[in-house]
Amino acid sequence: MRLSQTGDVWWKSAVFYCADVETFQDSDGDGIGDLRGMTERLEYLADLGVTCLWLMPFYPTAGRDDGYDITDFFGVDPRLGTLGDFVELVRTARSRGIRVIVDFVMNHTSDRHPWFRSARRSVDDPYRRHYVWSPTKPRTSKAEVVFPDQEDSIWELDDKTGEYYLHHFYKTQPDLNVANPAVQEEIARTLGFWLELGVSGFRIDAVPFLFAEDTYPGSEPGGFDPQRYLKDVRDFVTRRLGDAALLGEVNLPYPQQKEFFGGADGDGLNMQFDFNGMQRLYLSLARGDAGPLTSALRERPPLDVTSQWANFVRNHDELTLDKLSIAERKEVFAAFGPDPGMQLYGRGLRRRLPTMLGGDQRRIRLVYSLMFSLPGTPTLFYGEEIGLGENLDVEGRLAVRTPMQWDAGANGGFSTAPRRRLTRPQPAGLWGPEHVNAADQRQDPGSLWSFVRTLIRRYRQMPQIGWSDVEVLDHDVPAVLAHVCRCEDWRLLAIHNLGADDALVTLDLGTVPEGTVLRDVLDGRDDQPLDPSGRVEVRVDGYRGQWLRVLTPGELAYA
Ligand code: NOJ
């Protein structure tokens, strides 16, 4: 049985969509999105073609990091609904063919979590070792501080007990001592709980920070192997649910990412975001030169058959450019976020894609065409399908987390509450709901929404894309990326012109049987016969992408 046909490894050809309950749809008019609202909008996601919904944290929270500071791992933030609402959401999603995965924060809790409240009572408290403590203040290198605008150290003095606790993120997010078996048991209990409620897996937050290194005072003696622990987590979840998926946030260079996938049989994380490819895509866009992206695709380590890259162009955080050199980052800043108010932490941009591209529909579509044509699993952040913009008046990273714009009416159809009570203000003017909304675009076959929907359909019609290896072809037009997705005998040639000028590229696909053609599966142009030598000239308009199936006479009979 071919794995690609069974659906057992469903995440290899899924379409992921990340949404924040708080900003998706308000059902009760209090200005805050909620689980019931999201359930009402599942029809929209099914129509778009989404097959897996990733929910950002919706748990009880102290509200200092938009839900990533959890006070109870087993509950729902009462502003967003109840556990009952959650189960209804998961059940309704399933009935529409959509799986749900949930954000899972195992690196830290809120400082208001009962464990931490207890832990800071005394050095002998039973929960003390749930966290990482030091009697003296260890030195912090600048690079270790994730939010340098707010923090200057990753250690904070706890006044009462006179010791310092570790926090890689805000000081209100003490790091858990994941090496402690008691903490591991709590983590397993939590994962097991949400699996029982019907989720299909987890997006694991902040993986590289998870582990208090041996050298940290207070961490577990005897060595702690992060990869081994993740394998344990994987074993645990798959014992509970055979095809549970773990999607990890691992923003590390490729060779280190590779280790988090586990050994040759992929027994670690099932999926990881391709942060390296994403960052070099922006450099390529800024330069109008496919070179940086080409090198990323060539460096991408090959994966075992069950592991997968999650391809994305934007997410809920700043567009991080931390893997680029300082000079490269400056190029991207100059092109897409020259105003210091658009930049964050010196490493990223708090913007969404369409605004960065000046609303240029050709370039926006080019980017999504490219993303859906790359081997991996496409992962959208809510609103990308309609070209939602950010609101720079909203503080920090939250600028890109404004409420979804459903229609041209009041509050973009997100809520019936008075505008001032919305979770966050929506952008105004050209990016406001009157101009950018789902209802109008769903009616319009020429809209971005319709284009993204077509991409999703094509991707789903050709699940081989998700299972493919990628080969980037050599040619002499720097602005053009030409890559071949290959899955056994199946081949798709994708050509994307990152420059404004039309281009003619000469490609060598290797010898093909007589009668082979290139079939345009995106724009439906006439078949182009392919010379048996496999050499072909293709004309690509500026800022356009083409998807061409390589169809041999044998395949033509079924195509
Ligand atoms: C990564 C998340 O994406 C980000 O939003 C959050 O602030 C940190 N992890 C801390 O949980």
Side-chain angles (χ1 to χ4, degrees):
M1 228 172 358
R2 281 208 218 150
L3 266 182
S4 58
Q5 284 169 357
T6 59
D8 292 355
V9 196
W10 59 268
W11 54 88
K12 291 278 284 194
S13 51
V15 177
F16 278 54
Y17 188 97
C18 168
D20 195 359
V21 175
E22 225 185 347
T23 54
F24 208 57
Q25 178 67 65
D26 172 19
S27 73
D28 58 6
D30 64 356
I32 303 167
D34 45 46
L35 289 164
R36 290 186 182 201
M38 178 152 279
T39 308
E40 283 165 22
R41 293 296 186 182
L42 289 170
E43 165 274 325
Y44 169 85
L45 296 180
D47 186 22
L48 184 60
V50 168
T51 62
C52 180
L53 173 61
W54 149 26
L55 294 181
M56 286 168 62
F58 52 83
Y59 314 102
T61 171
R64 311 300 288 271
D65 185 12
D66 199 25
Y68 285 93
D69 51 332
I70 297 169
T71 54
D72 174 7
F73 287 115
F74 299 105
V76 168
D77 178 343
R79 298 172 315 135
L80 311 183
T82 64
L83 278 176
D85 296 334
F86 179 81
V87 170
E88 282 303 303
L89 166 73
V90 175
R91 188 251 178 275
T92 311
R94 189 185 305 133
S95 73
R96 293 195 178 272
I98 300 176
R99 295 169 188 270
V100 177
I101 66 165
V102 293
D103 230 302
F104 187 74
V105 185
M106 58 167 88
N107 179 69
H108 48 266
T109 65
S110 160
D111 60 350
R112 302 205 193 152
H113 191 287
W115 299 339
F116 194 70
R117 285 174 184 264
S118 183
R120 69 196 320 184
R121 278 192 201 122
S122 89
V123 293
D124 305 318
D125 187 88
Y127 287 97
R128 186 74 173 177
R129 311 230 23 234
H130 273 44
Y131 299 89
V132 184
W133 299 91
S134 170
T136 52
K137 187 173 187 178
R139 287 170 68 95
T140 300
S141 84
K142 260 189 162 179
E144 286 177 292
V145 180
V146 181
F147 299 131
D149 61 330
Q150 308 269 333
E151 308 292 348
D152 52 18
S153 166
I154 58 172
W155 294 93
E156 183 68 15
L157 178 65
D158 175 53
D159 287 332
K160 174 124 193 269
T161 56
E163 290 193 337
Y164 295 81
Y165 63 87
L166 176 68
H167 63 91
H168 276 101
F169 297 93
Y170 297 117
K171 59 170 76 68
T172 51
Q173 292 166 306
D175 275 33
L176 281 164
N177 179 12
V178 184
N180 178 350
V183 172
Q184 294 178 4
E185 199 181 313
E186 299 284 6
I187 289 173
R189 202 186 298 279
T190 311
L191 293 164
F193 175 81
W194 292 103
L195 287 170
E196 288 302 314
L197 295 193
V199 306
S200 295
F202 302 90
R203 178 263 186 193
I204 302 187
D205 188 61
V207 172
F209 301 94
L210 274 184
F211 311 103
E213 298 182 62
D214 296 352
T215 48
Y216 284 146
S219 63
E220 290 301 300
F224 176 69
D225 177 353
Q227 265 97 23
R228 161 106 46 88
Y229 174 60
L230 274 178
K231 287 177 189 171
D232 290 349
V233 171
R234 165 80 180 274
D235 281 350
F236 173 78
V237 296
T238 46
R239 271 201 305 279
R240 294 284 172 101
L241 179 73
D243 64 352
L246 297 180
L247 163 59
E249 185 200 24
V250 189
N251 182 8
L252 290 176
Y254 280 134
Q256 283 163 266
Q257 282 198 291
K258 172 83 174 132
E259 290 175 19
F260 281 98
F261 281 115
D265 52 351
D267 52 358
L269 294 171
N270 308 94
M271 298 178 77
Q272 292 178 50
F273 298 102
D274 184 2
F275 277 100
N276 295 284
M278 180 279 290
Q279 299 192 32
R280 280 192 257 169
L281 164 67
Y282 279 93
L283 185 59
S284 275
L285 290 171
R287 290 182 179 169
D289 173 4
L293 181 57
T294 300
S295 62
L297 290 171
R298 288 187 172 148
E299 281 166 35
R300 250 185 176 193
L303 303 180
D304 72 279
V305 73
T306 64
S307 297
Q308 182 65 310
W309 296 108
N311 294 323
F312 72 111
V313 295
R314 280 304 291 118
N315 68 11
H316 59 288
D317 287 324
E318 79 281 7
L319 162 61
T320 182
L321 301 165
D322 66 338
K323 296 288 174 289
L324 302 183
S325 69
I326 293 174
E328 291 169 339
R329 204 175 300 158
K330 276 193 181 153
E331 285 180 66
V332 180
F333 279 5
F336 301 135
D339 182 328
M342 299 167 171
Q343 301 164 10
L344 209 55
Y345 317 131
R347 63 165 189 251
L349 293 171
R350 48 190 212 106
R351 307 197 75 189
R352 281 179 172 258
L353 180 81
T355 50
M356 287 192 276
L357 297 180
D360 184 341
Q361 279 290 324
R362 293 172 309 163
R363 293 182 89 186
I364 297 166
R365 291 173 195 215
L366 169 82
V367 172
Y368 289 114
S369 168
L370 182 53
M371 175 173 101
F372 276 86
S373 72
L374 288 176
T377 296
T379 303
L380 290 166
F381 179 45
Y382 76 90
E384 283 195 273
E385 69 281 12
I386 56 166
L388 200 67
E390 72 278 351
N391 183 354
L392 290 170
D393 293 339
V394 178
E395 200 204 333
R397 290 173 294 153
L398 301 181
V400 302
R401 302 184 202 172
T402 56
M404 180 64 180
Q405 295 172 189
W406 294 105
D407 59 44
N411 300 327
F414 163 70
S415 170
T416 54
R419 185 170 297 227
R420 60 180 163 35
R421 293 187 56 201
L422 298 195
T423 318
R424 269 162 225 134
Q426 291 167 319
L430 278 182
W431 298 98
E434 316 85 83
H435 301 287
V436 178
N437 69 69
D440 289 351
Q441 293 195 30
R442 287 179 84 179
Q443 303 296 322
D444 174 4
S447 68
L448 179 63
W449 188 90
S450 298
F451 180 72
V452 171
R453 184 172 185 250
T454 301
L455 291 174
I456 293 177
R457 288 184 70 177
R458 295 292 175 271
Y459 178 87
R460 290 182 60 182
Q461 285 162 352
M462 297 183 280
Q464 292 93 338
I465 299 176
W467 289 83
S468 285
D469 294 324
V470 64
E471 183 196 354
V472 182
L473 303 180
D474 288 320
H475 59 81
D476 55 12
V477 187
V480 173
L481 180 85
H483 69 274
V484 174
C485 299
R486 187 192 299 266
C487 177
E488 297 169 357
D489 295 335
W490 184 95
R491 276 195 287 173
L492 175 75
L493 166 65
I495 309 177
H496 289 89
N497 185 352
L498 276 51
D501 299 331
D502 298 353
L504 186 66
V505 278
T506 307
L507 301 170
D508 186 352
L509 295 170
T511 52
V512 291
E514 185 83 44
T516 300
V517 301
L518 289 179
R519 173 162 298 169
D520 186 326
V521 288
L522 213 48
D523 289 336
R525 270 179 283 239
D526 291 345
D527 286 356
Q528 184 173 352
L530 206 52
D531 186 83
S533 70
R535 282 180 71 78
V536 63
E537 281 199 331
V538 185
R539 186 172 296 282
V540 212
D541 295 347
Y543 297 141
R544 278 301 281 254
Q546 285 186 31
W547 292 21
L548 305 169
R549 277 287 314 276
V550 183
L551 289 172
T552 60
E555 289 172 298
L556 269 167
Y558 295 96

